[in-house]
Amino acid sequence: MAGNVFPLDRPRSRISNAEVTFYEALKHQLPDGWTAWHSIRLRVAGGYEGEGDFVIADPARGFVVVEVKG
């Protein structure tokens, strides 16, 4: 059983084919206990600072932000 990838049903709309491919790979290969989120925005006062294509977390190791390029 793979870890959880959010959103659970499909990647967010208006994204690249490369991000869809990466999302599907994570959905099938992410290790148990790991969690990934697609298209996470960093909020700051008054708006957004930026966005990470994928944030992947392992409770035992920490997290990594992945920028997917097509």
Side-chain angles (χ1 to χ4, degrees):
M1 174 123 195
N4 290 315
V5 181
F6 295 97
L8 292 172
D9 54 345
R10 63 183 172 9
R12 301 194 189 282
S13 62
R14 296 180 302 204
I15 58 171
S16 72
N17 288 335
E19 287 183 42
V20 172
T21 300
F22 195 84
Y23 176 93
E24 292 299 327
L26 282 177
K27 213 170 161 184
H28 293 65
Q29 299 177 34
L30 193 67
D32 289 341
W34 290 39
T35 304
W37 297 267
H38 175 244
S39 190
I40 297 294
R41 290 183 179 178
L42 179 63
R43 283 188 158 222
V44 295
Y48 295 102
E49 180 69 24
E51 180 257 352
D53 290 340
F54 291 89
V55 176
I56 304 170
D58 171 13
R61 295 187 176 131
F63 69 93
V64 63
V65 178
V66 178
E67 183 68 23
V68 176
K69 298 293 181 193

